[in-house]
Short mmCIF file of all heavy atoms in Angstrom, two decimals:
data_model
loop_
_atom_site.label_atom_id
_atom_site.label_comp_id
_atom_site.label_asym_id
_atom_site.label_seq_id
_atom_site.Cartn_x
_atom_site.Cartn_y
_atom_site.Cartn_z
N TRP E 1015 12.45 40.20 15.48
CA TRP E 1015 12.56 40.23 14.02
C TRP E 1015 12.53 38.83 13.41
O TRP E 1015 12.99 37.87 14.02
CB TRP E 1015 13.85 40.94 13.58
CG TRP E 1015 13.84 42.41 13.88
CD1 TRP E 1015 14.32 43.02 15.00
CD2 TRP E 1015 13.29 43.43 13.07
NE1 TRP E 1015 14.10 44.36 14.94
CE2 TRP E 1015 13.47 44.66 13.76
CE3 TRP E 1015 12.65 43.45 11.82
CZ2 TRP E 1015 13.05 45.87 13.23
CZ3 TRP E 1015 12.23 44.67 11.30
CH2 TRP E 1015 12.43 45.86 12.01
N ARG E 1189 -37.59 35.02 12.84
CA ARG E 1189 -36.18 35.45 12.81
C ARG E 1189 -35.47 34.83 14.02
O ARG E 1189 -35.93 34.95 15.16
CB ARG E 1189 -36.06 36.96 12.87
CG ARG E 1189 -34.58 37.43 12.94
CD ARG E 1189 -34.44 38.93 13.18
NE ARG E 1189 -35.00 39.68 12.06
CZ ARG E 1189 -35.97 40.58 12.17
NH1 ARG E 1189 -36.51 40.83 13.37
NH2 ARG E 1189 -36.42 41.23 11.11
N ALA E 1204 -13.49 50.41 33.39
CA ALA E 1204 -13.62 51.68 34.11
C ALA E 1204 -13.44 51.48 35.61
O ALA E 1204 -12.89 52.35 36.30
CB ALA E 1204 -14.99 52.30 33.82
N ASP E 1270 -12.26 24.09 11.87
CA ASP E 1270 -12.12 25.53 12.08
C ASP E 1270 -11.22 25.74 13.28
O ASP E 1270 -11.64 25.64 14.43
CB ASP E 1270 -13.48 26.20 12.31
CG ASP E 1270 -13.40 27.73 12.28
OD1 ASP E 1270 -12.28 28.27 12.43
OD2 ASP E 1270 -14.45 28.37 12.12
N ALA E 1280 -20.79 16.24 17.87
CA ALA E 1280 -19.46 15.65 17.73
C ALA E 1280 -18.42 16.61 17.18
O ALA E 1280 -17.22 16.45 17.42
CB ALA E 1280 -19.54 14.41 16.84
N ASN E 1394 19.22 19.94 24.33
CA ASN E 1394 18.40 21.15 24.29
C ASN E 1394 17.50 21.25 23.07
O ASN E 1394 16.64 22.14 23.00
CB ASN E 1394 19.28 22.39 24.36
CG ASN E 1394 19.85 22.62 25.74
OD1 ASN E 1394 19.40 22.00 26.71
ND2 ASN E 1394 20.84 23.48 25.85
N THR E 1456 19.87 22.64 8.86
CA THR E 1456 20.37 24.02 8.98
C THR E 1456 20.61 24.31 10.45
O THR E 1456 19.81 23.92 11.30
CB THR E 1456 19.35 25.01 8.41
OG1 THR E 1456 19.13 24.72 7.02
CG2 THR E 1456 19.86 26.45 8.52
N GLU E 1552 37.88 19.77 11.41
CA GLU E 1552 37.57 19.28 12.75
C GLU E 1552 38.69 18.35 13.20
O GLU E 1552 38.73 17.17 12.84
CB GLU E 1552 36.23 18.55 12.75
CG GLU E 1552 35.85 17.89 14.07
CD GLU E 1552 36.05 18.78 15.27
OE1 GLU E 1552 35.39 19.84 15.33
OE2 GLU E 1552 36.86 18.43 16.14
#
Side-chain angles (χ1 to χ4, degrees):
W1015 291 93
R1189 176 187 296 123
D1270 190 342
N1394 287 347
T1456 300
E1552 175 47 61

